[in-house]
Amino acid sequence: MLEPSIVKDEEVEYLIRDVYDLYGYDFSRYSRASFKRRVNRLCLIDKFTSFAELRYTIITEPDYLKRFVEEITVNVTEMFRDPLFFKEIREQILPHLGTFPLIRIWVAGCSTGEEAYSMAILLKEAGLYDKCLIYGTDLNPSVLEQARSGVFPIQQMKQYSENYILSGGKKDFSEYYTANYDSVQFDKSLQKKLILSTHNLVSDSSFNSFQLIICRNVLIYFEKDLQERVFKLFDDSLENLGYLALGSKETLRFSNLKKSYETVSEQKIWKKTEHQ
């Protein structure tokens, strides 16, 4: 078995080039430290005896690419993660969005959909659900399949319920799902306004106009120039006076677009000022 951390820096570059040339997935501007760490982890889990074996498998077995992308992309999320963030959305942002005739929200890098479902619940409780559309996108088709199912492990519900209450939720969180042995099925009505599709923040362009874009804990894995590229994509996708919400360790502070946004709160939410 290949030992962890044995993949060399130059081998990482070979791998990034192979994956792009053969399959079009561009990881060239991902943080090298994060990418290398995940390649090492993949080698360990799948018991490759050498880097050459991993590279050969990726080149010759297109079906393995799905597994590779699953491991390289980061899919850690939870419902109402960072409850104070969702409390801010609930109390400060939704009342403003409610003035729009149609509310379009983009949850970029949505992974298995927990934050998109959280937004659906917030909009329902604010009485805005019927005039909203929530777009959840991710690079990884497998996690989107899970999001479409609306099925989540039951052992996570205690944490999700606590997060929900801290976010200002007034109901019993279990009203939103049906328990079935070791999993729960979330209410199908929460999927009524949810549109899930693949989208690559690295290479794809804007696909709609939004009043709120949520992209949390994705940009921390990108190099600065790729972060800037994604900020430009979000700016092109966001209406004037719309909101951009990032993760707790992410910021617009060092972006060229900073002057076009004003800080709304300490919860890493910015409002786009009017500009051409």
Side-chain angles (χ1 to χ4, degrees):
M1 183 190 306
L2 191 65
E3 291 296 325
S5 304
I6 203 168
V7 176
K8 300 180 176 62
D9 291 345
E10 60 269 27
E11 293 173 331
V12 167
E13 302 304 321
Y14 296 151
L15 195 56
I16 288 173
R17 189 181 61 198
D18 289 340
V19 171
Y20 180 72
D21 289 345
L22 290 170
Y23 305 108
Y25 284 92
D26 186 0
F27 292 102
S28 63
R29 287 178 287 177
Y30 273 54
S31 161
R32 288 299 188 276
S34 174
F35 187 88
K36 186 178 178 181
R37 187 165 56 248
R38 289 181 171 274
V39 169
N40 275 314
R41 181 174 182 274
L42 179 62
C43 288
L44 189 65
I45 294 172
D46 288 359
K47 297 180 171 55
F48 287 106
T49 57
S50 67
F51 170 76
E53 185 182 1
L54 168 66
R55 189 181 180 194
Y56 181 80
T57 301
I58 290 174
I59 292 172
T60 60
E61 298 181 21
D63 289 347
Y64 186 76
L65 181 74
K66 180 179 177 182
R67 164 80 179 139
F68 176 79
V69 172
E70 285 175 357
E71 282 298 320
I72 297 302
T73 54
V74 180
N75 296 301
V76 178
T77 184
E78 62 184 42
M79 286 191 176
F80 296 96
R81 177 173 48 172
D82 304 326
L84 294 182
F85 168 82
F86 282 95
K87 189 177 178 68
E88 186 80 5
I89 294 285
R90 184 193 294 274
E91 296 179 351
Q92 303 299 327
I93 307 301
L94 290 190
H96 176 69
L97 295 185
T99 63
F100 289 87
L102 174 64
I103 306 168
R104 289 181 298 268
I105 297 172
W106 179 13
V107 183
C110 72
S111 186
T112 43
E114 282 84 342
E115 289 195 331
Y117 280 93
S118 301
M119 282 306 305
I121 291 172
L122 286 188
L123 288 155
K124 268 182 171 285
E125 295 183 355
L128 301 174
Y129 191 59
D130 287 340
K131 65 172 186 176
C132 82
L133 287 174
I134 305 169
Y135 294 79
T137 65
D138 201 279
L139 167 69
N140 185 343
S142 297
V143 295
L144 292 174
E145 288 177 16
Q146 185 174 342
R148 288 190 186 95
S149 74
V151 175
F152 298 95
I154 197 168
Q155 67 265 28
Q156 295 174 346
M157 293 307 112
K158 182 175 183 297
Q159 180 65 58
Y160 291 178
S161 179
E162 292 173 358
N163 289 351
Y164 166 74
I165 293 169
L166 290 172
S167 79
K170 305 297 185 188
K171 295 186 176 182
D172 185 333
F173 189 62
S174 63
E175 291 182 24
Y176 291 107
Y177 62 81
T178 302
N180 183 25
Y181 298 105
D182 58 351
S183 65
V184 305
Q185 171 71 63
F186 269 79
D187 193 321
K188 291 291 186 184
S189 69
L190 297 174
Q191 299 176 336
K192 183 179 176 184
K193 299 289 186 174
L194 180 58
I195 301 167
L196 296 164
S197 64
T198 56
H199 182 277
N200 189 339
L201 291 171
V202 176
S203 56
D204 291 345
S205 57
S206 174
F207 61 94
N208 212 325
S209 179
F210 300 94
Q211 286 84 43
L212 170 62
I213 297 175
I214 299 172
C215 183
R216 305 175 70 220
N217 304 316
V218 175
L219 298 176
I220 52 176
Y221 299 102
F222 294 171
E223 300 286 1
K224 187 176 184 306
D225 64 334
L226 180 54
Q227 290 181 8
E228 196 63 33
R229 193 263 183 204
V230 176
F231 284 144
K232 179 66 168 59
L233 170 65
F234 290 159
D235 188 59
D236 292 341
S237 308
L238 197 60
E239 290 188 358
N240 283 338
L241 306 181
Y243 297 90
L244 173 63
L246 303 177
S248 61
K249 295 181 175 59
E250 298 161 333
T251 181
L252 263 179
R253 183 180 174 188
F254 304 108
S255 167
N256 296 329
L257 291 167
K258 176 181 177 297
K259 61 181 181 302
S260 301
Y261 289 79
E262 60 185 40
T263 303
V264 174
S265 76
E266 294 180 354
Q267 294 302 317
K268 299 300 180 71
I269 301 172
W270 286 264
K271 185 176 185 179
K272 183 176 179 178
T273 55
E274 292 190 69
H275 67 277
Q276 298 296 320

